[in-house]
Amino acid sequence: MYTGNLLGFGLTISYYLFSGSSFIIKKKGLERVVAFGTRASPGGYGYMLEPLWRIGMLTTVVGEIANFVAYIYAPAVLLTPVGALSIKASVVHAHFLLNEKLRKVGILGCMLCIMGSTVILHICSC
């Protein structure tokens, strides 16, 4: 693998981690707003005042910047399968941190997506 590909791959992994966790952080912030009894302020933007929601939004921005820069260093055919795994990270985080149900079919779907990404990465690196 070229040095540029490794750098792009590393940036995409950081996107994967930031993006996968940002949805959970934002949802925790929204749950905190609801817990205080204020679902919406005038104009419907009250959740933006919640610091946890802002941190989640910041992690989204940082992850997207890392993903954008990754495409400078490595080809899309290498980065896209890894970037698609951020959705799977959100599913796993939601199961453990938000106590959402992850059924057997969901686990099977995540495993198939991970295996598919692995196959694509293996084929592209040959």
Side-chain angles (χ1 to χ4, degrees), residues 12-118:
T12 301
I13 293 293
S14 68
Y15 157 73
Y16 164 68
L17 296 173
F18 277 110
S19 181
S21 60
S22 69
F23 296 110
I24 305 305
I25 296 169
K26 286 187 281 189
K27 183 157 183 183
K28 284 285 195 186
L30 292 174
E31 287 176 349
R32 188 184 281 180
V33 168
V34 171
F36 288 124
T38 55
R39 290 189 69 86
S41 65
Y45 303 112
Y47 62 92
M48 290 183 171
L49 300 175
E50 172 60 42
L52 196 56
W53 185 86
R54 289 183 181 195
I55 291 169
M57 202 61 202
L58 182 65
T59 58
T60 299
V61 170
V62 170
E64 291 298 332
I65 290 171
N67 193 34
F68 179 75
V69 173
Y71 281 97
I72 295 172
Y73 293 105
V77 73
L78 177 68
L79 301 180
T80 304
V82 177
L85 294 176
S86 67
I87 296 169
K88 279 50 127 199
S90 295
V91 169
V92 172
H93 286 133
H95 175 71
F96 289 109
L97 300 175
L98 298 175
N99 297 322
E100 294 183 1
K101 298 279 186 198
L102 181 58
R103 298 190 184 352
K104 291 179 183 179
V105 174
I107 293 170
L108 177 65
C110 286
M111 289 172 50
L112 288 172
C113 290
I114 291 168
M115 289 186 332
S117 293
T118 304

